[in-house]
Amino acid sequence: MKEKENRNQKKEKAKKTIKTIHTNRVQRLSSIKAKVSMVLLFSIVLTVTLGLMTTIPTIKNNIISITESYMTDLTNSYGKILNQNLTISAMNMNTSQLAKTFENAGLDGMETSYFYILNAEGNVLYHPNVEKIGKPIDVDEIAALITAIDEGNVPEPGIVNYKYEGSTKYASYFVTEKYNTVVVLCANESEILAPITSVQSRAFFFFCPLAVILAITGYLSVAKMIRPLLTIT
């Protein structure tokens, strides 16, 4: 009887040992599935992040470069038109006459884009904000152009950027041959780069669900691959 009991005890002990080993193996395999899924998810997030970090700055620089070129061309065109008008008559320097030409001019689709006109002394002849008309310009970078004109160094057409009332602005300028009148076209950087913000938002909302889906797919694929191992054990 004792021998039989000993044999039964050994069998039970062996069963418990096998069950423990099986449980440990299942846990290890489940841990492998979770780790593979996490690695896959991390790889996707890292790839997307690095991709955006390398492409977004390039796109940003291209947008700024294209916009600056367009602003310069547009300012030069309007500047030459104003120069012709001033050659015909100095009355075309009148605010009401300037408004006819510049009131609705600017970069298409950008509410922050507009022209303003200064005389050779730096006083505003035309501005969408009528409160600024007749007053000196309060932008140092543009005031520097007036200083150069006063010193006899008429600036060539160009573009500057500056901070104004908390916003970064880009401004192209042109100085007319007649009366050294300064034509300035400005626009907010935030509006110029609005397409970048849109791309980043869309990329985020697209890649987040995609990363989750791929992680789940990876998890299920690993589960399918290790299923035979679970059966064997």
Side-chain angles (χ1 to χ4, degrees), residues 73-87:
D73 291 343
L74 191 61
T75 305
N76 290 351
S77 297
Y78 273 92
K80 291 174 182 177
I81 292 172
L82 178 59
N83 189 67
Q84 292 176 352
N85 292 340
L86 295 178
T87 301

Side-chain angles (χ1 to χ4, degrees), residues 7-8 37 60 85 102 142 174 189 204 221 232:
R7 284 198 299 270
N8 290 335
S37 299
K60 177 181 176 180
N85 292 340
F102 295 99
I142 303 301
F174 179 94
E189 182 184 61
F204 177 79
S221 298
I232 294 171

